[in-house]
Amino acid sequence: MKILAIVPAYNEEECLESTIAELTSTCPDVDYLVINDGSSDSTGPICDSLGLNHVDLPINCGLASGFRTGMKYALRNGYDAAVQIDSDGQHIPSYIPVMAEALSQKKADVVIASRNLAGGGAVGARGIGAKLITGLIRFASGQVISDPTSGMRMYNRKMIEKFAKSFDLQPEPDAMAYLIRKGATVVEVPAEMRDRQGGTSYLNFFKSISYMARTCLSIILFIWFR
Amino acid sequence: MSSLLRVILAIGAFVALGVVINRVKKGKIRVADSIFWVVSAAVLVVVAIFPGIAFFFSGLLGFLSPSNFVFVVIIALMLIKLFSLSCELSRQTNRIDELSQEIALHNKKTDGD
């Protein structure tokens, strides 16, 4: 199975090198593509000097657009599966083969690496937000996604095409509810994750609020209208 | 507030909500951009069904009539939205300019090779 790891990077000069080094040493069979999303720090020069397989978006387009760039690349280069790996070192590459096995054995369309199934999971306000999203997805699709906000998800060929071509389909929890309702098989595998190894989180307080509003409204709209 | 105005407000609110949801469904507006419209239309529907809310606030703030209160709120919301749209338009204009410059410079580099 030809797998592409999509690594979106926005101002991740601190961790990018070690993340890619770990990825290539743990999973030499997995190709990767770094999406430098218009970074203003030295993420771009680092990619050039290390000779990383990467694309540079000329302006900052956000995670969804960066990820979609990766999906288009995967589609055009004939990959069987694509997995999103954060550049901050949160995601442990040794789970990629585990996810790939689940993808082929369970004939799944999407495999999510779940911290909750491994006994971890978001805590505090993030944990409450995640539980709310889990509840909404369950209401919308009848399926329990224990770790909806996990960024580490693997998609099969069919989903690669869907993400590359659809309007406003983002690699976010609401898309999972949508895909399940459209008949996709979404499974979870237990996985541990680390804390981010450097840099700052994309989500601050106000972004978190608007993220929650968007996700919840989107799921509700999906239930009734899409 | 006359009952005719209430009925018009209610019909308008329902139609607005329907139009917004229809556009989302057809993929003409992103969910993130539709939040403002969905919430506004939903609030209008609620006020139309429970006009007591408008009466309460207009009394509290000293408006001569609840309909004045409703109009003021709608106008204020429109001004806020208009301004934020102007800001967003500036941002988009700048981004398109930047993309054009990047493409032009990129083409120049490829031609030169």
Side-chain angles (χ1 to χ4, degrees):
Chain A
M1 187 155 66
K2 221 175 137 194
I3 303 172
L4 178 74
I6 298 171
V7 188
Y10 174 58
N11 291 349
E12 295 282 4
E13 58 183 7
E14 283 174 46
C15 309
L16 186 60
E17 183 176 359
S18 57
T19 301
I20 298 300
E22 188 189 9
L23 179 66
T24 48
S25 64
T26 319
C27 309
D29 299 336
V30 173
D31 293 347
Y32 70 88
L33 177 71
V34 176
I35 318 285
N36 172 26
D37 186 13
S39 296
S40 53
D41 69 354
S42 58
T43 300
I46 287 175
C47 289
D48 288 331
S49 68
L50 295 174
L52 303 182
N53 185 33
H54 72 288
V55 291
D56 296 297
L57 300 184
I59 55 175
N60 178 243
C61 294
L63 177 64
S65 179
F67 176 75
R68 200 173 170 200
T69 310
M71 286 306 225
K72 285 185 175 177
Y73 180 91
L75 183 66
R76 289 175 195 185
N77 292 283
Y79 284 94
D80 303 308
V83 57
Q84 183 187 335
I85 299 291
D86 283 0
S87 52
D88 60 13
Q90 277 191 72
H91 300 155
I92 303 168
S94 55
Y95 287 108
I96 295 176
V98 180
M99 295 171 80
E101 198 175 305
L103 196 74
S104 58
Q105 288 210 333
K106 296 181 181 167
K107 297 209 177 350
D109 296 300
V110 184
V111 177
I112 302 172
S114 166
R115 290 163 288 192
N116 296 59
L117 289 185
V123 289
R126 276 171 183 247
I128 295 167
K131 283 211 172 60
L132 178 63
I133 296 172
T134 295
L136 272 176
I137 292 177
R138 187 176 170 197
F139 180 60
S141 68
Q143 190 181 332
V144 173
I145 303 289
S146 66
D147 193 357
T149 55
S150 163
M152 193 178 186
R153 304 188 188 93
M154 185 178 278
Y155 305 87
N156 70 1
R157 179 83 189 163
K158 202 169 94 193
M159 292 297 122
I160 291 175
E161 186 165 359
K162 217 176 177 70
F163 272 89
K165 292 179 176 170
S166 295
F167 174 86
D168 199 20
L169 185 59
Q170 306 192 357
E172 299 291 355
D174 53 297
M176 300 304 121
Y178 173 72
L179 293 171
I180 295 169
R181 284 178 69 84
K182 291 283 171 187
T185 310
V186 178
V187 301
E188 290 186 288
V189 295
E192 284 166 23
M193 282 182 203
R194 294 184 286 244
D195 290 333
R196 63 167 33 250
Q197 305 293 300
T200 47
S201 171
Y202 181 73
L203 289 175
N204 58 31
F205 178 73
F206 287 106
K207 276 189 181 150
S208 302
I209 298 289
S210 79
Y211 174 87
M212 282 302 292
R214 184 201 166 274
T215 304
C216 294
L217 180 69
S218 177
I219 295 172
I220 292 166
L221 286 176
F222 283 146
I223 297 171
W224 289 324
F225 308 105
R226 274 174 84 163
Chain B
M1 191 156 47
S2 75
S3 52
L4 180 64
L5 182 61
R6 255 184 74 188
V7 171
I8 292 172
L9 192 65
I11 294 172
F14 275 112
V15 169
L17 195 57
V19 168
V20 173
I21 285 165
N22 186 266
R23 296 282 102 174
V24 175
K25 200 168 136 188
K26 288 192 172 156
K28 301 286 181 196
I29 182 169
R30 299 184 313 154
V31 172
D33 299 325
S34 72
I35 292 175
F36 172 87
W37 299 106
V38 173
V39 172
S40 306
V43 167
L44 275 185
V45 169
V46 169
V47 172
I49 296 170
F50 305 105
I53 300 169
F55 280 90
F56 173 77
F57 282 105
S58 72
L60 194 73
L61 300 171
F63 281 90
L64 285 178
S65 132
S67 53
N68 285 1
F69 168 74
V70 172
F71 291 144
V72 164
V73 169
I74 292 177
I75 290 170
L77 275 178
M78 277 169 56
L79 282 176
I80 293 167
K81 190 64 193 166
L82 193 59
F83 181 68
S84 73
L85 271 179
S86 271
C87 295
E88 184 58 23
L89 185 62
S90 292
R91 206 173 76 91
Q92 296 298 346
T93 308
N94 183 46
R95 284 162 73 85
I96 292 171
D97 288 351
E98 213 161 310
L99 281 177
S100 312
Q101 294 147 15
E102 290 292 334
I103 293 172
L105 291 170
H106 180 81
N107 287 346
K108 169 80 176 155
K109 206 164 84 183
T110 350
D111 289 346
D113 288 345

